[in-house]
Amino acid sequence: MTDSIMSKAATMEIPINSNGDTGSLQEDDSLEQAAKLQWSLDEKVGSSRDTRDLQQVMVSGPNLNETNIVSGGYGGTVEGIIPTSSITGSNMHHSSSSSSSMAAEQTTRGVAVEKLEYMKKWGFNTYKCTKQMISERFGRGSRTVDLEMEAQIEVLRDTKRKYENVLRLARALTNHFYNMVQTQHALGDTFADLSQKSPELRDEFGYNAETQKLLCKNGETLLGAINFFVSSINTLVNKTMEDTLTTIKMYENARLEFDAYRSDLDELNMGPRDAVTMARIDAAQQQYHVHREKYERLRSDVTIKLKFLEENKVKVMHKQLLLFHNAISAYFAGNQQQLEQTLKQFNIKLKPPGAEQPSWLEEQ
């Protein structure tokens, strides 16, 4: 009833006279009384409802787990209800994942910092060594010189070049002699075949075939001795000498680093002695002692390796040169027994004929 009255009052047209006063209406008093009645009723209902809500809150209290969050715009017809328990769980999961991601990020950052520090030290050391090398090349920088060791190193390098030439020539001799043995073998087979097909020259072809077969057999024996000689020289040059030269390269690099840090320390000692310079001098002295110990250790290693290399070289070459001489002399003298005895003396075992040739399955 009150709603219909209020709606009627809201939609009623109010005429205005010429003096600006509203006209007298028949329903003015009824409308005013209806408004007052509606206001009093609403005030009573609201006060009683507020009292009941306050009492319910005082007794039970709000339940946070059942609190609903309404999403959407004002006056929306759809409510997005999100329980607070699910919000708490998602927050915990997010915090654990964020902590793990932070730990991974810290680990990655630590590795990056370590690599950056290594590159910084490497660049600083390279700069000093390059500066020292240029100074030595143009005669402006001083270098540590060990005349005796440098003479031994130069002798070793010259010896290695000469032994490499011996190795190259010995391999060439092996290839040429192998081709000659293969030719003798083919020639012996041809003589043997012709002795069977030429009755009038059977004897002549026959003993030439035997001679070529004997030369082929002795040639294979000599090839075994030469191959052993080549293998031993190759081990001496490309393994033993090369290992010593690798240590020498490390020693030369250590010498360059030592001289670079020594020159740096000398320059600092010639400058002013303020607090900053003294701190730099202390750091330079520490680096100087570190590289000096490294240089002395590698110099000792080179001295020992040069000594053992010389002893090993004499021992190996004495045996190999004796083998090469006896085998070559016996072969060209036609002394088959002495040639075989030479191989037994040096414990050289020949491979059976055709052992190096692959089988037909390996050729597929």
Side-chain angles (χ1 to χ4, degrees):
M1 176 179 179
T2 58
D3 295 338
S4 63
I5 293 173
M6 295 300 295
S7 62
K8 184 177 181 181
T11 57
M12 184 178 294
E13 184 177 357
I14 304 175
I16 301 176
N17 56 16
S18 61
N19 294 327
D21 297 331
T22 59
S24 60
L25 297 176
Q26 298 178 357
E27 296 182 356
D28 285 346
D29 296 335
S30 61
L31 288 174
E32 184 178 357
Q33 293 176 359
K36 291 180 179 179
L37 178 61
Q38 178 65 30
W39 180 81
S40 62
L41 288 175
D42 292 341
E43 184 177 5
K44 291 180 181 179
V45 171
S47 61
S48 61
R49 184 179 301 168
D50 293 339
T51 303
R52 288 195 303 272
D53 293 340
L54 180 59
Q55 291 176 354
Q56 183 177 1
V57 170
M58 293 294 291
V59 173
S60 60
N63 189 359
L64 294 178
N65 292 330
E66 296 177 357
T67 303
N68 294 334
I69 298 175
V70 179
S71 63
Y74 173 77
T77 58
V78 180
E79 295 183 354
I81 302 175
I82 306 174
T84 56
S85 60
S86 63
I87 295 176
T88 305
S90 63
N91 288 334
M92 293 176 63
H93 177 70
H94 178 69
S95 62
S96 62
S97 62
S98 63
S99 62
S100 61
S101 63
M102 289 179 62
E105 183 179 356
Q106 290 178 357
T107 303
T108 305
R109 185 178 302 173
V111 174
V113 170
E114 183 179 357
K115 289 183 178 180
L116 182 62
E117 190 67 22
Y118 172 78
M119 291 298 296
K120 182 179 178 181
K121 291 181 180 179
W122 177 82
F124 183 72
N125 186 69
T126 304
Y127 165 75
K128 284 187 172 296
C129 293
T130 305
K131 180 181 177 182
Q132 178 66 23
M133 185 184 300
I134 294 174
S135 299
E136 292 178 2
R137 184 163 297 180
F138 287 94
R140 294 194 298 265
S142 61
R143 62 187 299 265
T144 303
V145 179
D146 190 338
L147 297 177
E148 182 180 358
M149 180 170 292
E150 290 189 358
Q152 293 177 356
I153 293 173
E154 187 60 31
V155 169
L156 172 60
R157 287 172 175 163
D158 184 65
T159 302
K160 186 174 183 292
R161 287 191 293 267
K162 293 178 179 179
Y163 277 47
E164 286 174 344
N165 189 35
V166 171
L167 181 62
R168 180 180 60 83
L169 294 175
R171 285 174 172 169
L173 175 63
T174 303
N175 292 330
H176 295 321
F177 198 77
Y178 174 80
N179 293 329
M180 187 186 72
V181 170
Q182 294 299 316
T183 304
Q184 289 175 340
H185 187 275
L187 188 60
D189 291 341
T190 303
F191 284 157
D193 182 65
L194 288 174
S195 67
Q196 299 293 329
K197 296 180 179 179
S198 303
E200 66 281 2
L201 297 173
R202 178 178 301 175
D203 295 335
E204 289 80 359
F205 279 123
Y207 58 72
N208 275 281
E210 293 295 330
T211 301
Q212 294 300 321
K213 288 181 179 179
L214 180 60
L215 291 174
C216 182
K217 182 180 178 181
N218 293 339
E220 291 176 353
T221 305
L222 179 61
L223 276 175
I226 298 177
N227 285 329
F228 186 78
F229 175 82
V230 170
S231 177
S232 299
I233 300 299
N234 180 64
T235 302
L236 177 64
V237 172
N238 294 322
K239 291 186 178 180
T240 308
M241 291 184 178
E242 189 64 31
D243 177 72
T244 304
L245 288 174
T246 301
T247 307
I248 290 174
K249 291 178 182 178
M250 295 171 60
Y251 157 75
E252 291 176 344
N253 292 333
R255 197 276 310 163
L256 184 64
E257 291 179 354
F258 167 67
D259 284 337
Y261 283 94
R262 179 182 54 80
S263 300
D264 189 22
L265 181 60
D266 293 340
E267 291 178 2
L268 291 174
N269 286 327
M270 294 173 62
R273 294 302 183 97
D274 54 1
V276 177
T277 306
M278 291 302 298
R280 294 179 60 185
I281 289 175
D282 292 338
Q285 284 179 349
Q286 294 179 0
Q287 293 295 327
Y288 168 78
H289 290 300
V290 169
H291 288 86
R292 180 179 180 180
E293 292 177 358
K294 180 180 179 182
Y295 165 72
E296 292 178 351
R297 184 179 67 253
L298 285 172
R299 183 175 63 177
S300 177
D301 293 343
V302 171
T303 302
I304 294 173
K305 286 198 172 185
L306 286 173
K307 179 181 178 181
F308 282 106
L309 175 62
E310 185 65 24
E311 295 176 356
N312 188 30
K313 182 192 70 173
V314 173
K315 182 179 179 181
V316 170
M317 292 307 298
H318 175 76
K319 177 181 178 180
Q320 296 303 318
L321 291 174
L322 184 61
L323 165 67
F324 190 83
H325 174 268
N326 292 342
I328 293 291
S329 300
Y331 173 80
F332 285 99
N335 193 339
Q336 182 180 359
Q337 294 180 354
Q338 184 180 356
L339 182 59
E340 293 177 354
Q341 185 65 31
T342 300
L343 268 65
K344 292 180 180 179
Q345 179 183 355
F346 293 95
N347 297 321
I348 300 175
K349 295 181 180 180
L350 298 178
K351 294 181 180 180
E356 296 180 353
Q357 298 178 357
S359 63
W360 66 275
L361 288 174
E362 296 175 347
E363 293 177 352
Q364 299 300 321

